[in-house]
Amino acid sequence: MTGEAEGQPLRAMAQAKYEREQVLSADRGKIVDRSGNPIAEDTVSYKLIAVLSEKASKDVKDEDWLHVIDREKTARALAEHIDMSEEEILDRLNRQDDPGVYQVEFGPAGRDLSHDKMKKIEALDLPGIQFVKDKKRFYPNGPFASHLIGFAQKKEQEDGSMKTIGQMGLEKTYDELLSGKDGKMAYDSDTWGYLLPSAEKQVTPPEDGANIKLTIDKTIQNFVEDSMKQVEQEYSPERMSVIVANPKTGEILAMSQRPTFDPGTREGLSSNWLNEAVQYTIEPGSTMKIFTLAAAIEEGVWKPDDYFKSGSYSIYDTTIYDHKREGWGWISFREGFQRSSNVSMANLLERMGGKEMMNHFRNFGFGQKTGIDLPGEASGSLNDVGPVERLTTSYGQGSTVTPIQMVQAATAVANGGKMMQPYMIREIKDPNTGKVLREGQPETKAQPISGETAETVLEMMESTITSEKGTGKIFKLNDYSVAGKTATAQIPDGKGGYLRGTNNLLYGFLGMAPADDPQLIVYVNVHRPKIPAGEYGSIPVSKIFKPVMENSLKHLNIRPDEEQAAGAAYRLPEFAGQKADSASAELSENDIRPISTGDGGKVVAQFPAEGTPVLPESVVLLQTEGEAIIPDFTGWPKRTILAYASMTGIQIEMSGEGYAVSQSVSPGSEGDTSAPVVIQLETPEEGAAVSGQGEDQEEEQLPLD
């Protein structure tokens, strides 16, 4: 024998025929919120295949066929379950007449099938119809920070294989880290691809992609999404954006915009792929007056009880006006800030000087990228050309900023003068090694103002809410004091001028709470809402700010103002090692609800941790030995429920967001770790309906004359 056939080595031909290589696909890394709740992850899906070759049914008995027998019936049945017409499916099945075709697939319509869809098709018992396990990128929350997260989808590679690739947002920016590396399994097989009994497998395990933990808080993000959805339905604005941040750390707790889309289906995705919080610039309007005021205080020219003539102000051949064109006569600078007077800003600018004001704005980070760990950040532009441009910049027109720049600058006011670096990535970890590849930490970026200046600015911002003359009265919360500043800004028309009319304005609010020591910043912008007669622009903004801020503070267990006034919060001691009875007695004496997870004995662990301030009637978990008894979960926040589940091993399924209102297992029942307890959550009721509509004329920036 020559060992060759038609010039090809027989040994090589045999090896190619009988050796198989199976790809062991890596999981794409997860994107999760700060508590580990999934935002984007791989999930099992199925790919539909039709086996056409009669060879598949060789030696099959009793008509238990393994290939398609009745093409018309198969096409008709499948058309009821996948997004292809009966004719299109039949066209694929008719390839059965080609002896070289063993099986066919059904393109996008036959991929990424859910388990439920697979079982329904399987139940049809169609000969030749088979499924291959696959993976699909899953976004369990639907439209949820979608322009931030982006999406990934399968793309065909040059070798014909399919690979999930990030197309926008974090999915695209961190695609290489998220992708991981596929493994493989090589083995000897027979002509049909079945493993031979004596075959040896050579396995190269896959390396899963890195997991990304964000600073986002899923519950707060849902508060944002829900309120924006309501305002979108009611007022049909052209666009909206919201950022929620922790001013003490710079962490971004929520970020969203409208219009938005579902990253799983791409439904709603338009030509705008920008994450507007960091990539879109605006003329912010009167929220900029916060930083003009801060600059004036730093320069020593802020005299709140001095008077100026409101209404108009002229420089060279240019005149600017207050939103009440005739003004309010001679008023104090304090009242000027409360009424959001443009002329008050002009007089402050005159006192401190334009170059000095612009230097302070640069110290706040305007005109520069913040350096947030997100792609494509815009820098905005300070219009420092001349006196008129500086004048309009003092009240928020002419210069441009990004929403994230406004939030970064606001952290200095909320944080005793220290401006924090905003960040979104809490941690990136390699799941294969456990190694942390990157970790976000609070970082003081600068100190543009003193602590005394920050305190004065906060007091003035709070007075815009509490004063009868303030433009921000509508933003008052039920349980927390607010420091904030409204804005009504004109929107450039792209031709060198501005759009005109009530429905062609940007309405905004930059708010912090509680006012004496802000724990959250919420910045809201609503562009061109359709305002019905009898309403004004701050109303749709307040319908976002108020429920988001109030519910978020309660979610974070921030003590309401009345309870703060009643006395200092109780700080938890370390209970580990103590007897459960004595720990419970101490908690009860301080009006705290102790919950033991077991029969008693010594405390092993606790939640919240030592040193945490807690409010009266709060739940504190004491982990003890023994079988768990199901407590009454009513009123428990989600994170306390999760802590209880972690301590006891009891399966808990939750529906909704906020606080527990009902449960499937009665209190006092023995905990069963094999069956889940279903708990329904609801958010706190929104405050009283907006009142006083029409009592206050909302500010409106008028064009230059």
Side-chain angles (χ1 to χ4, degrees):
M1 292 181 62
T2 64
E4 292 188 358
E6 298 180 357
Q8 299 295 323
L10 291 175
R11 183 181 296 276
M13 291 175 63
Q15 186 172 348
K17 184 174 184 180
Y18 295 116
E19 281 192 351
R20 297 289 188 267
E21 185 173 282
Q22 180 178 339
V23 174
L24 302 176
S25 57
D27 279 343
R28 188 174 176 85
K30 296 179 181 179
I31 301 176
V32 301
D33 84 335
R34 63 187 301 110
S35 299
N37 296 306
I39 298 174
E41 63 181 345
D42 278 0
T43 187
V44 173
S45 66
Y46 295 87
K47 180 167 62 177
L48 180 66
I49 291 173
V51 177
L52 305 182
S53 175
E54 293 182 6
K55 296 177 182 178
S57 299
K58 183 181 179 182
D59 299 327
V60 169
K61 298 179 180 179
D62 301 327
E63 298 185 352
D64 192 11
W65 310 113
L66 298 179
H67 71 286
V68 174
I69 301 299
D70 189 330
R71 305 178 199 181
E72 287 76 12
K73 176 185 175 183
T74 301
R76 190 163 52 250
L78 289 179
E80 297 291 325
H81 294 275
I82 66 173
D83 190 20
M84 286 181 76
S85 68
E86 184 177 337
E87 291 73 19
E88 291 172 319
I89 296 172
L90 188 59
D91 181 61
R92 299 217 175 198
L93 298 181
N94 282 335
R95 297 178 190 178
Q96 198 164 7
D97 296 328
D98 184 342
V101 175
Y102 184 82
Q103 64 187 39
V104 293
E105 298 180 13
F106 296 89
R111 291 196 294 266
D112 294 338
L113 301 181
S114 67
H115 184 267
D116 181 59
K117 177 77 72 176
M118 181 274 290
K119 295 302 287 184
K120 287 180 179 178
I121 297 175
E122 195 175 57
L124 299 174
D125 198 22
L126 298 170
I129 297 302
Q130 298 182 8
F131 298 91
V132 175
K133 269 191 178 182
D134 204 354
K135 291 177 182 176
K136 176 184 179 181
R137 199 60 170 167
F138 180 50
Y139 301 90
N141 306 300
F144 180 97
S146 301
H147 283 79
L148 165 67
I149 304 301
F151 67 93
Q153 63 182 152
K154 287 181 179 174
K155 294 288 184 180
E156 187 170 355
Q157 306 301 292
E158 291 182 1
D159 63 0
S161 65
M162 303 298 293
K163 183 178 180 182
T164 301
I165 297 176
Q167 300 298 300
M168 70 176 285
L170 294 176
E171 289 275 32
K172 181 177 181 180
T173 302
Y174 294 99
D175 183 65
E176 187 174 349
L177 278 171
L178 288 164
S179 292
K181 185 177 179 181
D182 288 343
K184 61 183 179 180
M185 179 173 66
Y187 56 89
D188 295 335
S189 67
D190 63 17
T191 55
W192 305 110
Y194 292 109
L195 186 67
L196 293 172
S198 59
E200 291 186 4
K201 293 185 291 184
Q202 294 179 329
V203 178
T204 303
E207 297 177 12
D208 292 338
N211 295 323
I212 299 177
K213 178 180 284 189
L214 304 179
T215 58
I216 290 288
D217 184 306
K218 179 184 175 183
T219 299
I220 294 177
Q221 183 74 34
N222 278 328
F223 292 152
V224 169
E225 301 292 354
D226 291 346
S227 60
M228 291 183 84
K229 181 179 180 180
Q230 176 190 339
V231 168
E232 184 177 38
Q233 292 172 345
E234 191 170 353
Y235 295 94
S236 302
E238 181 180 79
R239 57 177 11 113
M240 294 185 285
S241 67
V242 177
I243 300 175
V244 183
N246 180 342
K248 309 301 184 186
T249 64
E251 292 172 291
I252 305 303
L253 302 179
M255 179 183 285
S256 194
Q257 66 192 64
R258 291 294 185 277
T260 189
F261 68 98
D262 186 327
T265 63
R266 268 76 71 193
E267 182 180 355
L269 182 61
S270 66
S271 58
N272 177 27
W273 286 29
L274 295 180
N275 178 8
E276 296 189 357
V278 299
Q279 295 178 289
Y280 184 73
T281 59
I282 57 173
E283 295 183 26
S286 292
T287 44
M288 199 71 171
K289 292 173 182 174
I290 297 169
F291 309 106
T292 304
L293 170 62
I297 297 170
E298 284 288 304
E299 290 296 321
V301 301
W302 169 249
K303 309 295 181 186
D305 296 320
D306 282 2
Y307 278 71
F308 70 96
K309 180 68 164 65
S310 64
S312 63
Y313 180 96
S314 296
I315 180 172
Y316 302 127
D317 59 349
T318 298
T319 300
I320 65 150
Y321 296 90
D322 283 321
H323 57 89
K324 183 181 180 184
R325 200 176 179 93
E326 65 274 19
W328 305 272
W330 287 87
I331 60 174
S332 70
F333 278 92
R334 176 183 287 104
E335 184 177 338
F337 187 80
Q338 292 166 349
R339 291 190 182 278
S340 198
S341 164
N342 295 339
V343 176
S344 72
M345 297 295 110
N347 280 277
L348 288 178
L349 174 62
E350 182 180 307
R351 289 185 175 192
M352 71 175 127
K355 290 186 178 179
E356 287 74 14
M357 182 190 75
M358 285 297 191
N359 285 337
H360 283 290
F361 283 177
R362 291 187 183 93
N363 290 340
F364 275 116
F366 296 116
Q368 312 151 47
K369 296 178 181 180
T370 67
I372 190 172
D373 42 11
L374 294 176
E377 183 179 7
S379 59
S381 176
L382 285 175
N383 197 350
D384 195 9
V385 175
V388 173
E389 289 77 17
R390 296 179 192 120
L391 171 60
T392 59
T393 294
S394 74
Y395 59 82
Q397 296 283 177
S399 291
T400 60
V401 302
T402 60
I404 197 64
Q405 285 176 334
M406 294 292 285
V407 169
Q408 175 183 260
T411 63
V413 175
N415 196 36
K418 294 180 180 179
M419 186 168 75
M420 303 304 292
Q421 168 69 54
Y423 69 102
M424 179 70 72
I425 306 296
R426 200 173 195 194
E427 180 184 85
I428 301 178
K429 180 183 283 189
D430 183 340
N432 307 289
T433 64
K435 181 181 178 182
V436 175
L437 306 177
R438 178 172 166 183
E439 190 171 16
Q441 296 286 351
E443 177 186 343
T444 301
K445 189 170 187 180
Q447 180 142 357
I449 55 176
S450 68
E452 292 77 11
T453 295
E455 186 176 349
T456 302
V457 174
L458 271 177
E459 290 173 358
M460 288 306 306
M461 290 171 66
E462 184 178 11
S463 75
T464 70
I465 313 296
T466 59
S467 170
E468 280 302 312
K469 300 164 185 173
T471 59
K473 289 185 291 184
I474 196 175
F475 293 94
K476 182 179 180 181
L477 301 181
N478 292 329
D479 295 328
Y480 300 93
S481 56
V482 177
K485 184 72 194 73
T486 56
T488 305
Q490 291 180 292
I491 298 174
D493 62 7
K495 303 175 183 177
Y498 291 93
L499 299 172
R500 294 179 177 272
T502 302
N503 290 336
N504 285 320
L505 296 168
L506 179 156
Y507 299 98
F509 187 72
L510 178 55
M512 313 169 184
D516 61 340
D517 184 20
Q519 303 298 306
L520 288 180
I521 293 172
V522 176
Y523 184 39
V524 181
N525 282 307
V526 179
H527 299 240
R528 304 179 73 183
K530 294 178 174 58
I531 307 296
E535 288 194 16
Y536 51 97
S538 276
I539 291 178
V541 179
S542 73
K543 289 183 177 181
I544 295 174
F545 174 82
K546 291 172 70 174
V548 168
M549 180 63 91
E550 186 110 35
N551 290 340
S552 297
L553 289 170
K554 289 178 178 178
H555 163 66
L556 296 174
N557 287 330
I558 305 302
R559 197 179 183 112
D561 292 344
E562 287 185 9
E563 293 178 1
Q564 289 184 33
Y570 173 70
R571 289 191 177 274
L572 292 176
E574 175 64 65
F575 290 119
Q578 292 188 30
K579 289 183 178 181
D581 290 346
S582 60
S584 296
E586 182 175 343
L587 290 169
S588 298
E589 288 173 5
N590 288 279
D591 297 322
I592 309 297
R593 293 171 56 195
I595 300 291
S596 294
T597 63
D599 298 334
K602 287 187 177 182
V603 177
V604 177
Q606 68 187 72
F607 179 86
E610 175 192 6
T612 304
V614 293
L615 310 179
E617 299 303 316
S618 294
V619 172
V620 171
L621 302 180
L622 303 174
Q623 184 176 359
T624 61
E625 297 177 352
E627 295 297 323
I629 301 298
I630 300 298
D632 183 353
F633 290 106
T634 303
W636 289 28
K638 185 175 184 178
R639 60 180 180 174
T640 304
I641 298 171
L642 290 171
Y644 179 85
S646 177
M647 285 180 171
T648 61
I650 291 175
Q651 296 182 55
I652 292 180
E653 294 180 2
M654 287 179 277
S655 175
E657 296 291 340
Y659 298 82
V661 294
S662 66
Q663 61 195 75
S664 63
V665 179
S666 300
S669 304
E670 291 186 3
D672 180 359
T673 57
S674 64
V677 178
V678 180
I679 299 176
Q680 177 67 41
L681 305 178
E682 290 183 5
T683 59
E685 292 183 359
E686 286 190 20
V690 173
S691 61
Q693 294 182 12
E695 294 177 5
D696 303 294
Q697 175 62 42
E698 169 64 354
E699 59 178 312
E700 182 172 336
Q701 306 296 353
L702 297 175
L704 302 174
D705 283 2

